[in-house]
Amino acid sequence: MALTGRAALVAALGSLPIGIWEPSWTGILAVNAPLAVACACDFALAAPVRRLGLTRSGDTSARLGETADVTLTVTNPSGRPLRAHIRDAWPPSSWQPGTEVEASRHHLTVPAGERRRVTTRLRPTRRGDRQADRVTIRSYGPLRLFSRQGTHKVPWTVRVLPPFTSRKHLPSKLARLRELDGRTSVLTRGEGTEFDSLREYVPGDDTRSIDWRATARQSAVAVRTWRPERDRHILLVLDTGRTSAGRVGDAPRLDASMDAALLLAALASRAGDRVDLLAYDRGVRALVQGRTAKDLLPSLVNAMAPLEPELVETNARGLTATALRTAPRRSLVVLLTSLDAAPIEEGLLPLLPQLTQRHTVLLASVADPHIARMGTARGNAEAIYEAAAAAQAQTERQRTAEQLRRHGVTVVDATPDDLAPALADAYLALKAAGRL
C-alpha cells in the first residue's frame, strides 16, 4: 500500500545514502526539494472532503435473510476531481459475519462538478431497524502521496422484517379452507351455522342435516350444506416476556411465535375473519387493529419487526385485562406463550375463567426438539440421565396442557418448524366445528 504524508517523505529520505543526508537538514531539503514540492502539490490537488454532498436512496425494508440495496450519491462541487476510498458504516448485524469489509468499502472517482453513485448491499442477520452510521471519505491527490479525510452523517434506516417462512404452508391451508367454505366439490355437512345450499343425500351424510320440507317437495332426499361462519374476530396475543427469549435452535421462541401468527393471520383474513394483534409483557409493545385484509400482513410484519423479548416476567393480569379491552365481543383469542409450569400455574391459570367465559381461547407454545432427542438417548450413564430429565420435562408440559384443556382451552404444542401449520390446523378445526 502506498505511503502518504510524512511517512512517504521519511521513506524517501531514508533511501538516500547516509553520506548525502547526514551533514545537515539544509542538504536534505536541497536534495529532496522536488519531492517536497510534489507532496505539496498532491495535497493541494486532493478534492476537499467537507464540501461534498451526500444523499441516500434505495430499500427501506427487507425480510430477514434477504438483501437490501442502499445507494449513496456523492456530489463533488469543487473544481478538482475526487479520487476517494469510502467506508459506509452500518451496525455489525447488517451483514453476514466476515462480509462487512467487502460490502462497506468502495473506491470512487468523481469528476469536478459531477456526481456518482455507489451501492451498499446489506444482508441483515437480525430483525429490527438498522440505521446507517457515518460515511468516512478519504480523498487522494493524483500521486496518492497525501490525502484528506472526513466523515459525514447521512441518515437512513432499513427495517428488517420477520421472514415468514411458513408461507409455504399457505396454499394447502387455503385448499382446506375452500373445502370448508363449500367452494369445492367436497362440502362440509352439518358443520357451522351459516346455511349454504341443498343437495341430494348420499350414504354417510348426517341424518340431522336432512331437510324434510325440501324432501317432501321432490322425489329424492335433500340435505342441507353449511359453510363456516365468516367475519369473526381473532385476537393474536404475543407474549414478549422472558420465556419468549429462550432460544430453540438458532432463533428465540418469539420468532417462531411470530411466524405462526403470520400464517394464521393470512389464513384467517382469506376466510373473511378480522384479525388484530397485541404484543404484551408488562405493557403493550405493539397493537394492530382494524386493518383490512389487504393491509393486514404488511401492518403485522411492520409491527413485529422491532419487537424483542424483554427479560421480565409477563404480567398475566395486565395481559388478560388488555386482551379483554381489545376484544370486547366474543372472539378467538390466540395466546402465543410458553407452556412452562410456573408462569402458567401462578400467572395465567387463575385468570383463565375471565377469558374463557367470553371468548374461545387457543394457546400455542414452542416445544424444543432437543428435549425429544434427549428422551431417546441411551448408551451411557450421562445419556440415561438426560433421557430421564427429558421425560420429566415432557411430563410436566403435558400436565400443564391438560390443566389448560380442563378450562376449555385448545392447546397446540409443537416444534418451531411444525408450530405454524399446527396452529393453522387448530383454527380450521375450530371453524369446522362451528366454535368460532
Side-chain angles (χ1 to χ4, degrees):
M1 184 175 69
L3 298 174
T4 61
R6 182 180 296 179
L9 180 59
V10 172
L13 295 175
S15 64
L16 298 175
I18 293 179
I20 294 178
W21 60 267
E22 192 175 43
S24 69
W25 282 101
T26 304
I28 294 173
L29 294 177
V31 172
N32 294 280
L35 177 60
V37 172
C39 290
C41 292
D42 198 51
F43 179 78
L45 292 174
V49 174
R50 301 296 182 184
R51 295 172 53 194
L52 297 176
L54 281 77
T55 58
R56 291 190 187 274
S57 60
D59 296 332
T60 56
S61 64
R63 291 194 181 278
L64 183 65
E66 298 179 355
T67 59
D69 291 339
V70 180
T71 300
L72 183 69
T73 302
V74 182
T75 303
N76 179 16
S78 71
R80 287 162 278 178
L82 172 69
R83 308 167 188 87
H85 289 173
I86 297 177
R87 179 176 182 262
D88 190 4
W90 290 75
S93 58
S94 301
W95 292 281
Q96 297 288 337
T99 64
E100 176 185 359
V101 173
E102 180 181 356
S104 64
R105 266 71 168 181
H106 307 282
H107 300 277
L108 186 66
T109 300
V110 184
E114 296 187 15
R115 66 183 63 180
R116 293 290 185 270
R117 296 182 178 90
V118 292
T119 298
T120 301
R121 173 159 291 182
L122 310 178
R123 192 178 183 88
T125 58
R126 291 179 58 188
R127 285 182 298 99
D129 292 337
R130 297 292 168 269
Q131 297 181 344
D133 200 356
R134 296 168 296 177
V135 176
T136 303
I137 301 179
R138 181 174 291 174
S139 171
Y140 291 91
L143 300 178
R144 304 182 69 84
L145 295 176
F146 275 83
S147 65
R148 304 170 185 261
Q149 180 168 308
T151 61
H152 292 258
K153 281 283 189 179
V154 191
W156 193 261
T157 301
V158 174
R159 173 155 287 191
V160 186
L161 307 174
F164 192 16
T165 55
S166 63
R167 63 181 177 272
K168 63 187 177 184
H169 299 289
L170 188 57
S172 63
K173 304 307 174 188
L174 288 175
R176 175 59 179 155
L177 178 64
R178 288 191 295 270
E179 182 178 310
L180 292 177
D181 273 351
R183 290 196 289 266
T184 65
S185 58
V186 182
L187 295 174
T188 57
R189 298 177 292 276
E191 298 172 340
T193 58
E194 185 178 339
F195 175 73
D196 181 52
S197 61
L198 293 172
R199 62 167 179 79
E200 186 175 344
Y201 174 86
V202 295
D205 284 341
D206 189 344
T207 55
R208 292 174 297 180
S209 63
I210 296 176
D211 189 317
W212 295 107
R213 291 179 180 272
T215 300
R217 294 194 297 267
Q218 57 188 32
S219 59
V221 178
V223 295
R224 300 185 186 94
T225 61
W226 307 85
R227 68 177 66 212
E229 301 85 345
R230 302 176 69 83
D231 196 31
R232 294 301 186 258
H233 181 231
I234 299 172
L235 177 62
L236 303 172
V237 182
L238 276 175
D239 180 359
T240 56
R242 65 169 184 83
T243 56
S244 67
R247 299 188 73 84
V248 178
D250 295 330
R253 283 185 166 90
L254 181 60
D255 284 29
S257 297
M258 288 180 179
D259 195 50
L262 289 173
L263 179 63
L264 178 57
L267 181 62
S269 64
R270 299 287 186 89
D273 292 334
R274 294 172 291 112
V275 181
D276 293 338
L277 170 73
L278 169 67
Y280 193 96
D281 42 68
R282 289 193 176 178
V284 177
R285 301 300 176 190
L287 181 62
V288 178
Q289 287 182 291
R291 298 297 192 273
T292 63
K294 181 180 179 181
D295 297 333
L296 179 62
L297 279 182
S299 299
L300 290 182
V301 296
N302 193 55
M304 290 177 179
L307 289 178
E308 294 293 342
E310 298 290 333
L311 300 182
V312 296
E313 196 70 46
T314 298
N315 181 357
R317 188 172 299 278
L319 184 150
T320 303
T322 306
L324 290 172
R325 286 196 304 270
T326 308
R329 298 180 180 178
R330 183 164 185 81
S331 309
L332 171 63
V333 177
V334 181
L335 297 174
L336 294 125
T337 185
S338 168
L339 260 183
D340 293 350
I344 294 293
E345 294 176 359
E346 298 174 11
L348 184 61
L349 208 58
L351 302 169
L352 268 181
Q354 299 179 33
L355 285 173
T356 55
Q357 69 182 1
R358 186 186 300 180
H359 304 299
T360 301
V361 180
L362 193 161
L363 186 144
S365 180
V366 182
D368 191 345
H370 181 63
I371 294 179
R373 291 193 295 269
M374 286 173 56
T376 61
R378 298 293 187 273
N380 54 48
E382 182 179 355
I384 292 173
Y385 277 115
E386 287 184 353
Q392 182 178 1
Q394 289 174 326
T395 301
E396 191 174 74
R397 287 179 73 87
Q398 292 169 1
R399 182 175 62 83
T400 303
E402 189 56 37
Q403 285 181 298
L404 292 168
R405 292 188 181 100
R406 285 199 294 268
H407 282 77
V409 178
T410 301
V411 178
V412 175
D413 185 22
T415 60
D417 291 338
D418 297 331
L419 182 65
L423 181 58
D425 288 340
Y427 161 77
L428 292 172
L430 289 172
K431 208 166 185 64
R435 293 182 58 190
L436 300 185

